[in-house]
Amino acid sequence: RGQFALCAFPSDTLRTADENAVLRFILKEHPDVIVHTAALSNTQYCQQEPEDSFRANVLLPEWIAKGAEEVGAKLLSCSSDQVYAGVTQRGALAETLSLSPYNVYGQHKLEAEARVLARCPDAVVLRLPWMYDLPGYHLPIRGNLLLNLLRAAQRGESVRFSVRDFRGITYVRQAVALLEPALTLPGGVYNFGSENAENMVLTARQFAETLGITVDIQEADWTRNLAMDCSKLRAQGIVFDTTQTGLTRCLRDYGLL
């Protein structure tokens, strides 16, 4: 909207850049704000290649934080709901929980949070959930709940979700819109996304019903709780739609409702 002059690392630079290259770029651009969204987020790949994950998900955020410190930039660094992987507590999970993620990706994102805040105590660290969007802006889109359901319906395939799996699902364009007010948050960690009180079987069925499609949704029985409590964020005046109302927003944005 013309409020910011944007600059970005050249395409694919962060795949191979070392600490000095990252710092040189930040010092050259001397930004007022740094929004760090890059990650190696394929949990299976991170499990198989922990060294790659450590570089992308721990060292790179730390280098960015060092650059922010040197130029005095406000840093917004993105983490993940996967830091909650392995939590046995039921219900929505707050930022104050003691965590010990069972997967490499979650472990590395949690370590990155600590390193970023140690370097930049005023940094805002956002724990992001699973997000979705529809094609339409000529941007690459990875598999997400919405597209997975639409493709399954089109192909006559079944999808599996667990009645003991809980997580928020967030419309990515609402998350992007709320990044600007997030820049004014006090330093610290925030759950940043849609809350969802339903299990993933019911959530998938709700999505299919809203989309007006028929999908064979098979019930599985694995246990996971990544559902986030966003009370801390709401107390700062930043409010997301619920998972269910977020889908309505998405479909209206695309003229489908």
Side-chain angles (χ1 to χ4, degrees):
R1 293 179 296 178
Q3 297 181 18
F4 303 98
L6 300 178
C7 61
F9 282 92
S11 180
D12 285 336
T13 297
L14 295 180
R15 292 180 183 272
T16 57
D18 61 13
E19 179 177 358
N20 288 333
V22 169
L23 293 176
R24 280 197 305 271
F25 183 83
I26 293 173
L27 290 171
K28 177 175 72 75
E29 296 294 339
H30 211 282
D32 298 310
V33 174
I34 298 175
V35 180
H36 179 54
T37 62
L40 185 57
S41 59
N42 184 315
T43 56
Q44 184 176 1
Y45 180 86
C46 290
Q47 203 69 27
Q48 296 169 344
E49 303 292 342
E51 291 185 3
D52 286 354
S53 175
F54 186 79
R55 181 205 168 274
N57 297 321
V58 178
L59 294 181
L60 183 56
E62 186 176 27
W63 299 341
I64 297 289
K66 184 175 181 180
E69 179 187 36
E70 292 199 16
V71 299
K74 178 72 172 183
L75 174 61
L76 193 156
S77 186
C78 292
S79 185
S80 170
D81 62 358
Q82 289 290 332
V83 299
Y84 294 112
V87 169
T88 57
Q89 176 178 314
R90 296 184 178 185
L93 308 173
E95 297 90 341
T96 52
L97 282 176
S98 177
L99 300 174
S100 181
Y102 62 66
N103 61 45
V104 167
Y105 179 65
Q107 292 163 10
H108 286 168
K109 296 302 281 187
L110 187 63
E111 183 172 349
E113 291 180 3
R115 292 193 184 201
V116 165
L117 289 170
R119 177 73 67 173
C120 296
D122 290 333
V124 175
V125 176
L126 304 179
R127 290 177 176 170
L128 305 180
W130 195 18
M131 298 194 186
Y132 66 88
D133 198 1
L134 286 168
Y137 289 83
H138 307 292
L139 296 172
I141 297 180
R142 294 175 53 186
N144 60 60
L145 178 60
L146 191 55
L147 289 183
N148 292 350
L149 292 171
L150 288 168
R151 288 168 179 163
Q154 183 180 42
R155 299 170 183 173
E157 299 172 346
S158 63
V159 289
R160 288 171 57 82
F161 296 96
S162 174
V163 295
R164 296 195 294 168
D165 184 17
F166 297 86
R167 68 186 311 187
I169 314 294
T170 300
Y171 177 34
V172 69
R173 295 190 180 275
Q174 183 174 39
V176 170
L178 293 176
L179 287 178
E180 184 179 342
L183 293 173
T184 66
L185 290 169
V189 177
Y190 297 84
N191 291 334
F192 194 78
S194 294
E195 293 177 313
N196 184 15
E198 309 295 352
N199 67 60
M200 282 304 299
V201 171
L202 185 54
T203 298
R205 288 174 177 162
Q206 290 169 334
F207 267 50
E209 181 179 358
T210 302
L211 291 166
I213 60 177
T214 300
V215 186
D216 179 23
I217 297 173
Q218 299 287 325
E219 293 190 11
D221 194 34
W222 66 80
T223 300
R224 178 177 60 178
N225 185 14
L226 305 180
M228 298 191 299
D229 178 350
C230 294
S231 299
K232 181 180 178 182
L233 189 70
R234 281 197 301 275
Q236 296 291 331
I238 300 177
V239 181
F240 276 86
D241 296 330
T242 66
T243 288
Q244 291 72 23
T245 56
L247 176 60
T248 300
R249 179 189 294 268
C250 172
L251 297 181
R252 284 177 177 160
D253 283 353
Y254 283 91
L256 299 176
L257 280 183

